[in-house]
Amino acid sequence: MTLAKIVYASMTGNTEEIADIVAEALENLDIEVEINECTQVDPEDFEDADICVIATYTYGDGELPDEIVDFYEELQEIDLSGKTYGVCGSGDTFYDDFCKSVDDFDAAFTKIGASKGADSVKVDLAAEEEDIQNLEAFAKKLAEAVK
């Protein structure tokens, strides 16, 4: 069975909800899902997965959340060639660098050889109906990329 690993960082619960929406959508497509908070896993855990997903928020003026910095740095030291990835997350359009952490992880996955399975999804604060539809479409594209 296809395995998706979702790793998230969430301060207010918005990004955890985003991760849960993606997880449920993947499970509805008969994909096994493991979901973990970023401080509970290592980037090497992605080596066992077919689909690698990061859900992160962006802090302040475009910074990675403190709790995911180590994960981000260690991720760039492994090889995920042959893996499919996707990145999603939340931010606040009030800031100039809206969802920059999503872009940072997107670039990191590309650098370590993973293949982009779906365009990144950026959510302004909490996921609303249109965001949920976009996240479900994101999950579907990820699933199709590994079939």
Side-chain angles (χ1 to χ4, degrees):
M1 180 178 250
T2 303
L3 173 63
K5 288 198 185 241
I6 301 173
V7 175
Y8 70 89
S10 188
M11 181 188 296
T12 62
N14 290 341
T15 310
E16 184 175 4
E17 180 187 5
I18 289 167
D20 289 340
I21 292 165
V22 173
E24 183 179 340
L26 287 169
E27 287 169 347
N28 291 339
L29 296 165
D30 293 324
I31 291 177
E32 182 182 346
V33 177
E34 291 178 9
I35 184 169
N36 296 96
E37 200 272 332
C38 63
T39 61
Q40 305 300 311
V41 290
D42 296 313
E44 291 82 9
D45 293 336
F46 277 148
E47 293 172 352
D48 300 330
D50 302 293
I51 301 171
C52 309
V53 177
I54 290 285
T56 184
Y57 66 97
T58 299
Y59 191 75
D61 290 320
E63 291 96 39
L64 288 168
D66 287 343
E67 66 270 25
I68 207 167
V69 169
D70 289 345
F71 190 95
Y72 174 78
E73 290 171 354
E74 292 169 16
L75 178 68
Q76 296 181 67
E77 297 170 8
I78 63 173
D79 181 4
L80 290 181
S81 297
K83 304 293 181 185
T84 297
Y85 80 89
V87 185
C88 54
S90 63
D92 187 337
T93 53
F94 172 80
Y95 293 98
D96 292 336
D97 288 324
F98 174 66
C99 283
K100 183 177 179 295
S101 294
V102 170
D103 297 334
D104 292 343
F105 270 100
D106 187 36
F109 273 118
T110 301
K111 180 181 163 191
I112 59 173
S115 299
K116 188 174 195 168
D119 289 336
S120 298
V121 177
K122 298 176 179 180
V123 176
D124 185 23
L125 303 174
E128 297 184 10
E129 190 57 40
E130 183 180 342
D131 300 311
I132 292 168
Q133 292 170 358
N134 290 339
L135 291 163
E136 289 170 344
F138 168 81
K140 185 175 182 195
K141 282 193 173 169
L142 289 172
E144 290 169 351
V146 295
K147 298 265 180 197

